[in-house]
Amino acid sequence: MDIFETDLAPARPYNFGLALAHLRSSTAAILERVNQERYSRALTFSGSDVLVQITSTGSIEHTTLHLQLTGEKISKEIAEKAVSWVKRTFTLDTDPLSFHKLYAHDPILGRLIQNYRGLRPVLVADPYEALIWAIIGQQVHVRFARKLKLAFVELCGRKIAYDGTEYGVFPQPGDAAILKEESLRGIQMSHQKARTIITVSEAVAGGDLNLPELRNVDYSLACKTLMQYKGVGRWTAESVLMRGLGVPDAIPAADVGLQSIIGRTYGIGKKATEEQVRQLAERWAPWRGWAAFLWWFQLQAEELAKVNSK
């Protein structure tokens, strides 16, 4: 078994503890193993399964992340891809100074930035996974969406073991592309979701849909590219751009949780409309996705406080 280790220095300030707190509360993080100090997940790079483990040392002003990879053979290519993955997923290289300057445009958001100093977006592990997660999450409660995602991984993913611990590996697009609709219906997927998952998986596996390329195209074109597939609406497309591709100005304004917390916090009402969210979010450009992530984190914190108070 090979082991590769290296240290990474994020743009500062960076708070790895808050990143872990987000993952521990996230219903989307079903394959990650996260405690107070360590992130662990099995991923596939260049066709090889690798266990990725991340810890941190130092204050948020002087953070160093320690990356350890464990696998059958850790080549230079695999190591480089894993390092790039960590930097992208945990948004390590982006200087947050311009985002912090939004305080002048929106003191309410500014207080949130201060309260969660060093927190920045944590992406879903892979753009394809983010797309499947968004499709599964359409118009259902997040707990049921989590159940569906787990069932999807059981259906066509696989498991690997390191040191006696089992880790799930998210299905590759080709694994889902060959599924029969009946198989997905058998794990309580709706007809439309089953059809959409198979269709987009075929597109990704066949090269017709290149998700990473969407980071580099015009925002509206990226949305249109995703929305050409039946069953992928604007909320799904924007969720993928924000949570799967890390587009800093992408905001899924139709998100119910986002509408709720923005409506209450800004005195709009119990729930803001999609248009009201978009209008208010204009003051956060070009960091609307970062702002949305902080509001989601605040929502997670409020929900966790409610559970702990019972």
Side-chain angles (χ1 to χ4, degrees):
M1 193 71 71
D2 279 358
I3 294 177
F4 168 86
E5 297 181 87
T6 191
D7 288 333
L8 303 172
R12 293 157 182 167
Y14 183 78
N15 194 323
F16 187 60
L18 290 181
L20 294 180
H22 158 71
L23 289 164
R24 285 196 301 272
S25 299
S26 173
T27 53
I30 66 166
L31 298 178
E32 293 80 358
R33 293 179 180 270
V34 183
N35 58 29
Q36 298 291 334
E37 299 176 348
R38 183 184 301 272
Y39 170 97
S40 302
R41 174 155 176 176
L43 294 161
T44 303
F45 299 112
S46 301
S48 297
D49 294 329
V50 176
L51 176 63
V52 176
Q53 296 182 293
I54 308 169
T55 54
S56 73
T57 57
S59 68
I60 65 173
E61 302 295 343
H62 300 90
T63 301
T64 298
L65 295 188
H66 182 72
L67 168 65
Q68 178 178 301
L69 307 177
T70 307
E72 291 296 331
K73 184 176 181 181
I74 309 294
S75 65
K76 181 181 178 182
E77 178 185 10
I78 289 173
E80 289 175 347
K81 286 187 176 182
V83 168
S84 295
W85 178 87
V86 174
K87 290 180 177 180
R88 181 192 70 83
T89 303
F90 289 87
T91 322
L92 299 187
D93 289 345
T94 304
D95 187 340
L97 180 61
S98 295
F99 175 62
H100 292 172
K101 288 181 178 179
L102 290 180
Y103 187 97
H105 302 284
D106 187 341
I108 295 176
L109 175 65
R111 287 195 292 273
L112 207 63
I113 293 171
Q114 287 183 327
N115 290 343
Y116 299 128
R117 182 169 173 77
L119 176 64
R120 62 187 71 171
V122 180
L123 306 188
V124 176
D126 178 79
Y128 169 70
E129 182 176 337
L131 176 56
I132 298 301
W133 173 243
I135 293 168
I136 288 174
Q138 294 168 355
Q139 299 180 325
V140 297
H141 193 279
V142 290
R143 290 189 184 88
F144 184 60
R146 179 182 176 88
K147 177 183 176 182
L148 289 178
K149 188 177 180 183
L150 283 166
F152 177 72
V153 173
E154 287 288 332
L155 179 66
C156 57
R158 62 186 188 283
K159 295 179 180 178
I160 58 176
Y162 289 104
D163 292 332
T165 301
E166 201 171 63
Y167 296 87
V169 181
F170 196 79
Q172 296 295 299
D175 300 326
I178 60 174
L179 289 174
K180 300 297 183 183
E181 186 178 321
E182 293 76 16
S183 298
L184 289 168
R185 296 283 285 136
I187 58 170
Q188 294 185 284
M189 294 283 187
S190 68
H191 166 76
Q192 183 59 66
K193 286 184 182 181
R195 188 66 256 160
T196 303
I197 286 171
I198 293 170
T199 299
V200 299
S201 297
E202 290 172 341
V204 175
D208 294 326
L209 177 58
N210 187 322
L211 291 170
E213 278 188 358
L214 296 181
R215 293 190 194 104
N216 306 314
V217 304
D218 176 78
Y219 185 79
S220 60
L221 177 59
C223 287
K224 288 178 181 177
T225 299
L226 289 165
M227 290 167 63
Q228 69 180 304
Y229 298 97
K230 185 177 181 181
V232 177
R234 187 171 183 179
W235 174 83
T236 301
E238 290 181 322
S239 294
V240 173
L241 293 177
M242 177 192 164
R243 304 195 66 191
L245 294 169
V247 176
D249 208 31
I251 182 168
D255 184 82
V256 174
L258 202 56
Q259 290 174 347
S260 174
I261 194 165
I262 287 176
R264 289 186 282 107
T265 305
Y266 287 86
I268 296 172
K270 187 175 181 181
K271 179 182 173 186
T273 65
E274 178 179 349
E275 185 56 35
Q276 285 172 327
V277 171
R278 293 195 189 282
Q279 289 178 354
L280 189 144
E282 288 179 6
R283 68 184 72 174
W284 305 331
W287 299 97
R288 281 172 274 204
W290 279 47
F293 183 81
L294 258 65
W295 286 118
W296 269 330
F297 187 83
Q298 175 65 19
L299 191 61
Q300 283 180 295
E302 291 177 4
E303 291 175 349
L304 184 61
K306 288 179 184 176
V307 171
N308 291 337
S309 68
K310 291 180 179 180

